[in-house]
Amino acid sequence: MLSAERIMQRCDALARHSELPGGLTRVFLSRENRAANELVLGWMREAGMQASVDAIGNVVGRYEGQQQPCLMLGSHLDTVRDAGRYDGMLGVVSAIECVAALHERRKRLPFAIEVVGFGDEEGVRFATTMLGSRAIAGALDPAVLKTTDAAGVSIEEALRAFGLDPAGMRDVARKKGSVAAYAELHIEQGPVLEAEGLPVGVVTAINGFSRLRVTLQGEAGHAGTVPMNLRRDALAAAAECVLAIERIARADVDLVGTVGRIEARPGAINVIPGEVQFTIDFRAPRDELRMQAVGSARAEVEAIAEKRHVGCRIEMLQELGVAACAPWLMSQLARAVAAEGFPVRKLPSGAGHDGMALKNIADIAMLFVRCKGGISHNPAESITEADAAVGARTLLRFIENFELPA
Ligand code: HGY
Ligand code: MN
Ligand code: MN
């Protein structure tokens, strides 16, 4: 029997594995990640699955069916800094709850089910995201394993320290045809479902994203002696860039642009900042709109740097295009929502998800669950147990009625 109470308790249990005292931060291949993996492995085994951690650190549970291709479910187990406890975790725990309900009834389906707890979707520790789902999709360039974190530790070294063998990466990739579809339950992280009084929604597409890093090189100097007209202040230049990026994003209602992280060096009160590094994150439901925004941002940042006589380096960290959900899967999800007695609300996802990577090997679908005020990437992120119940019931109904395309 599905238990929404257990879903909520398990999200709470996972939230206790955090590097942040009094809050939730769990990054890829950390001690906290290992502890969360152990919890999830246990829950998967209790639900009748074979469960293990793959070579890139994903937790993978498999519930055999009468035939080979699997219906893949899941979400991510890593979090942003000072995160909410449902972004990612709700999808993993709800999928396990659905398999547990099948196992309790000793019910097997015409297809296998895999539940994956992806190790890295947020990309907080290393400046690259979706390592787990890209590896499963066979879309991870081994060179990426050289990427280092703020402490200079490479992904390869972190994998080894976690007890994993990077050489096993090639075995993580699924063969084409082995995954019939990927379906993810996730909180909406937006205000639409709440505004319309709906517990769940069917996602139409996942917006594309561009993540960039800008380094401005000015000249450090004495804050008390350098006249204003002789300064090459990297932080003042960055401040002008941030407002330019905001202006570019505001120019189109479908576009969003964020400077989420900025660091000024050397970072002393009486030193003119010599170097500044900041990030840019653009999202849009149309790739050409996002590319245009990236082009405008590059031009404006370079013009500001030139005007202020500061050096400028712009790196593209990662880009993933819009990932459309498959109509045949959306209609099966919609049927499940309707059968649960709710109107079917279709909506796009402004947030990125692992389905963007898995789309390389399978059609994708997403079921959104209402979250309070649409708040996410924030400890105030919250859902009700009643909505968790609707989400899990809808997902289970989708699973039990899942039909492979003719
Ligand atoms: O950034 C995102 O959209 C996702 O939370 N990784
Ligand atoms: Mn997130
Ligand atoms: Mn997420």
Side-chain angles (χ1 to χ4, degrees):
M1 179 72 174
L2 285 177
S3 163
E5 186 190 7
R6 185 162 58 176
I7 288 173
M8 301 298 275
Q9 284 166 351
R10 287 180 167 178
C11 288
D12 292 343
L14 286 168
R16 285 193 277 278
H17 295 292
S18 166
E19 69 179 60
L20 178 67
L24 174 53
T25 300
R26 185 168 57 244
V27 300
F28 184 40
L29 300 178
S30 60
R31 200 172 30 165
E32 298 78 22
N33 181 186
R34 181 194 308 282
N37 284 359
E38 287 308 313
L39 270 185
V40 172
L41 283 168
W43 297 337
M44 287 177 165
R45 289 166 184 147
E46 260 175 49
M49 289 187 256
Q50 297 293 320
S52 59
V53 177
D54 70 14
I56 187 81
N58 299 313
V59 187
V60 183
R62 188 169 169 95
Y63 185 74
E64 287 306 340
Q66 287 136 22
Q67 292 161 29
Q68 260 311 310
C70 77
L71 169 61
M72 186 179 280
L73 310 168
S75 192
H76 57 94
L77 291 171
D78 66 322
T79 75
V80 293
R81 295 204 181 286
D82 200 8
R85 62 187 58 198
Y86 302 105
D87 172 6
M89 284 63 81
L90 181 68
V92 178
V93 171
S94 299
I96 294 171
E97 195 62 29
C98 290
V99 175
L102 296 171
H103 179 57
E104 207 178 290
R105 289 183 264 144
R106 297 290 175 271
K107 182 167 184 182
R108 294 284 167 176
L109 299 172
F111 45 86
I113 296 174
E114 280 197 12
V115 177
V116 185
F118 296 104
D120 165 76
E121 187 273 345
E122 301 287 6
V124 168
R125 179 173 176 185
F126 301 97
T128 176
T129 77
M130 301 185 198
L131 290 164
S133 44
R134 281 194 283 160
I136 283 185
L140 188 62
D141 174 352
V144 167
L145 299 185
K146 300 274 182 257
T147 311
T148 56
D149 65 9
V153 176
S154 73
I155 297 174
E156 202 165 8
E157 289 159 340
L159 285 167
R160 287 208 176 83
F162 202 73
L164 299 170
D165 174 7
M169 203 61 60
R170 58 179 160 276
D171 304 333
V172 170
R174 294 298 191 282
K175 297 196 180 24
K176 209 124 176 77
S178 64
V179 179
Y182 173 69
E184 178 171 351
L185 179 148
H186 199 288
I187 54 170
E188 180 199 342
Q189 300 176 300
V192 172
L193 294 176
E194 183 180 65
E196 299 182 14
L198 299 171
V200 291
V202 176
V203 177
T204 53
I206 306 169
N207 285 1
F209 69 75
S210 297
R211 288 183 165 201
L212 301 96
R213 179 169 51 211
V214 178
T215 305
L216 298 178
Q217 194 63 51
E219 185 178 26
H222 196 301
T225 59
V226 180
M228 293 307 286
N229 65 330
L230 297 182
R231 294 184 177 202
R232 292 193 304 118
D233 182 334
L235 186 49
E240 199 173 336
C241 293
V242 173
L243 293 178
I245 287 151
E246 185 187 48
R247 195 173 52 249
I248 290 166
R250 282 182 185 280
D252 188 302
V253 70
D254 282 340
L255 189 59
V256 286
T258 312
V259 174
R261 192 184 165 90
I262 188 163
E263 270 178 275
R265 287 186 272 272
I269 186 168
N270 56 355
V271 180
I272 302 165
E275 181 181 276
V276 166
Q277 208 164 57
F278 63 86
T279 59
I280 304 174
D281 176 327
F282 277 120
R283 313 283 177 103
R286 299 189 313 279
D287 289 341
E288 67 284 357
L289 173 61
R290 176 173 47 83
M291 313 293 260
Q292 211 173 31
V294 170
S296 307
R298 281 181 180 280
E300 294 233 19
V301 166
E302 283 162 359
I304 291 165
E306 184 160 348
K307 179 184 71 176
R308 288 173 169 267
H309 310 298
V310 299
C312 168
R313 182 157 58 94
I314 303 175
E315 300 162 82
M316 176 57 76
L317 297 177
Q318 191 174 7
E319 278 192 312
L320 280 177
V322 170
C325 295
W328 69 277
L329 284 172
M330 285 171 60
S331 57
Q332 293 191 30
L333 258 187
R335 267 206 299 277
V337 170
E340 283 299 323
F342 297 102
V344 176
R345 174 61 154 94
K346 292 179 181 171
L347 69 167
S349 172
H353 301 283
D354 285 300
M356 300 171 90
L358 291 162
K359 200 167 158 49
N360 286 293
I361 54 167
D363 281 346
I364 65 169
M366 286 194 77
L367 178 70
F368 268 173
V369 173
R370 169 171 49 189
C371 60
K372 192 165 181 304
I375 297 170
S376 184
H377 285 192
N378 179 319
E381 182 181 281
S382 77
I383 65 167
T384 63
E385 187 174 312
D387 283 353
V390 176
R393 283 204 312 270
T394 306
L395 185 63
L396 181 55
R397 192 183 284 271
F398 165 79
I399 295 165
E400 293 197 87
N401 296 296
F402 176 66
E403 286 168 330
L404 293 166

